[in-house]
């Protein structure tokens, strides 16, 4: 006897689809995407937190952490501005912001003195998130700024000259809750501008031995800036990135960093993740590319922890 499609439909499924690994993964992804829209918002800070993401060592996850923390904070109901201060423009790419030559950018803001309002763009993929892109013109900004008076405070002037940056009673409900500045992998004039403008510093540290070697030089620079240019600057957050729980080295580095810096180190570690690395090639953060992945969930928890630490 030949069974027809109608017979098979009447008989019902012979196994439960929800028990297969593929079905479970799909369900998890859908729930994560829905959850990003339904998550209860965090309490907004009383004033704009200007946070500089910096480390002169390359490849530690500065840009990746900047864009994903920004997207996570935006999903948690915060109004976030990302300022791309790296001439490579990788943060602009990940946030799907046009940054070819001629687009109003951080170069125009720093060198030409354009207002922040004239160079900011809304992120097309994430509500509550705005971006000041970086173009290749920024590569020559350090040379052009050498002869400019008060060259180290150009970014500070631009940020705090914006009407929606500052205290809640002045800037109102339309204020930015967070300004995250993505710095280049150097301690040049661009990074110096960021350190003078910021009140808090976020340092991503790769869970490998070499990542610790340049940390002392970075902290010396921070102390020098704090002493002479910006007394409000402090290292408020250290984030362990590219953490591989399978290795003793990663655990050892994390333990050494925590022993030295204490509660400044977030309890949430960012794991090595293919999804996190893949997302920028699709002009996305991992928060929208694969919100159910371990990398996305870790950045979400890190953002939540970072926000709550300031309220404690």
């Amino acid at each position: 006897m030949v069974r027809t499609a109608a017979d098979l439909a009447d008989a019902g499924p012979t196994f439960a689809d929800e028990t297969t690994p593929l079905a479970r993964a799909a369900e998890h992804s859908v729930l994560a995407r829905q959850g990003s829209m339904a998550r209860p918002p965090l309490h907004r800070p009383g004033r704009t937190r200007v946070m500089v993401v910096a480390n002169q060592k390359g490849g530690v996850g500065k840009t990746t952490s900047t864009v994903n923390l920004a997207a996570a904070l935006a999903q948690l109901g915060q109004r976030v501005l990302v300022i791309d201060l790296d001439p490579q423009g990788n943060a602009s790419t990940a946030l799907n912001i046009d940054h070819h030559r001629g687009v109003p950018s951080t170069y125009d803001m720093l060198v030409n003195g354009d207002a922040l309002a004239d160079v900011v763009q809304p992120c097309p993929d994430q509500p509550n998130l705005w971006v000041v892109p970086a173009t290749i013109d920024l590569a020559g900004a350090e040379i052009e700024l050498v002869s400019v008076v008060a060259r180290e405070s150009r970014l500070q002037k631009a940020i705090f000259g914006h009407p929606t940056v500052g205290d809640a009673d002045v800037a109102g409900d339309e204020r930015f809750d967070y300004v995250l500045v993505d710095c280049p992998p150097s301690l040049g004039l661009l990074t110096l501008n960021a350190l003078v403008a910021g009140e808090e510093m976020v340092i991503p540290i790769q869970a490998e031995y070499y990542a610790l070697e340049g940390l002392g030089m970075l902290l010396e620079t921070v102390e020098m800036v704090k002493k002479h240019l910006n007394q409000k600057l402090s290292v408020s957050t250290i984030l362990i990135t590219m953490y591989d729980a399978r290795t003793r080295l990663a655990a050892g580095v994390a333990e050494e960093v925590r022993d030295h810096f204490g509660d400044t180190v977030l309890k949430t570690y960012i794991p090595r993740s293919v999804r996190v690395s893949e997302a920028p090639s699709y002009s996305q953060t991992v928060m929208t590319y694969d919100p159910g992945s371990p990398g996305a969930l870790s950045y979400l928890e890190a953002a939540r922890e970072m926000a709550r630490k300031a309220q404690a």
Side-chain angles (χ1 to χ4, degrees):
M1 178 180 178
V2 178
R3 301 183 68 187
T4 65
D7 294 332
L8 293 175
D10 291 338
T14 57
F15 63 92
D17 285 346
E18 65 273 10
T19 63
T20 66
L22 181 59
R24 285 199 303 271
E27 181 185 21
H28 182 56
S29 179
V30 169
L31 289 174
R33 290 176 188 274
Q34 292 174 342
S36 68
M37 304 300 294
R39 291 182 183 111
L42 289 175
H43 179 72
R44 298 179 66 185
R47 65 190 308 271
T48 303
R49 297 177 66 186
V50 182
M51 309 184 78
V52 180
V53 185
N55 191 332
Q56 83 274 16
K57 186 181 185 305
V60 299
K62 286 187 303 299
T63 298
T64 300
S65 296
T66 301
V67 298
N68 285 299
L69 286 173
L73 286 167
Q75 289 185 6
L76 292 169
Q78 309 297 294
R79 293 171 58 85
V80 186
L81 171 66
V82 172
I83 298 179
D84 191 351
L85 215 59
D86 189 342
Q88 297 178 86
N90 292 334
S92 304
T93 298
L95 294 171
N96 197 19
I97 298 294
D98 195 10
H99 59 100
H100 61 78
R101 179 169 283 167
V103 172
S105 66
T106 46
Y107 173 85
D108 301 291
M109 188 170 63
L110 292 177
V111 177
N112 298 332
D114 289 8
L116 178 60
D118 296 333
V119 295
V120 68
Q121 300 182 38
C123 179
D125 303 321
Q126 178 64 62
N128 294 329
L129 182 57
W130 289 262
V131 185
V132 179
T135 65
I136 192 62
D137 293 332
L138 193 60
E142 295 202 11
I143 297 175
E144 296 183 56
L145 287 172
V146 166
S147 59
V148 176
V149 176
R151 58 186 180 271
E152 71 280 349
S153 59
R154 303 279 286 186
L155 182 61
Q156 181 189 48
K157 182 179 178 181
I159 291 175
F160 289 97
H162 196 279
T164 57
V165 173
D167 293 332
D169 55 354
V170 177
D173 291 339
E174 297 299 311
R175 72 187 181 279
F176 289 121
D177 298 304
Y178 290 85
V179 176
L180 300 182
V181 184
D182 182 38
C183 295
S186 68
L187 294 178
L189 192 52
L190 292 176
T191 300
L192 181 60
N193 259 269
L195 296 179
V196 171
E199 297 180 352
E200 300 180 53
M201 189 170 178
V202 180
I203 304 179
I205 298 180
Q206 186 179 0
E208 293 186 1
Y209 175 74
Y210 285 138
L212 297 174
E213 289 196 323
L215 189 57
M217 184 185 302
L218 177 62
L219 294 177
E220 287 178 7
T221 302
V222 171
E223 287 302 316
M224 190 178 302
V225 170
K226 187 174 181 178
K227 182 177 180 180
H228 298 286
L229 297 170
N230 182 9
Q231 295 181 356
K232 296 181 179 180
L233 182 65
S234 66
V235 178
S236 65
T237 305
I238 294 179
L239 178 64
I240 305 293
T241 62
M242 305 180 192
Y243 185 82
D244 190 344
R246 299 170 300 178
T247 66
R248 295 176 60 185
L249 175 61
V253 170
E255 184 179 357
E256 185 173 346
V257 172
R258 189 172 293 281
D259 287 344
H260 190 72
F261 294 101
D263 292 338
T264 304
V265 185
L266 294 184
K267 296 177 182 178
T268 305
Y269 298 158
I270 307 302
R272 285 192 177 275
S273 171
V274 174
R275 293 302 194 189
V276 171
S277 302
E278 284 178 349
S281 64
Y282 295 91
S283 296
Q284 294 185 58
T285 67
V286 73
M287 305 305 298
T288 55
Y289 177 66
D290 189 356
S293 65
L297 296 175
S298 295
Y299 271 115
L300 183 69
E301 187 56 34
R304 197 190 310 271
E305 185 180 350
M306 188 171 72
R308 286 177 174 169
K309 278 180 64 177
Q311 300 167 12

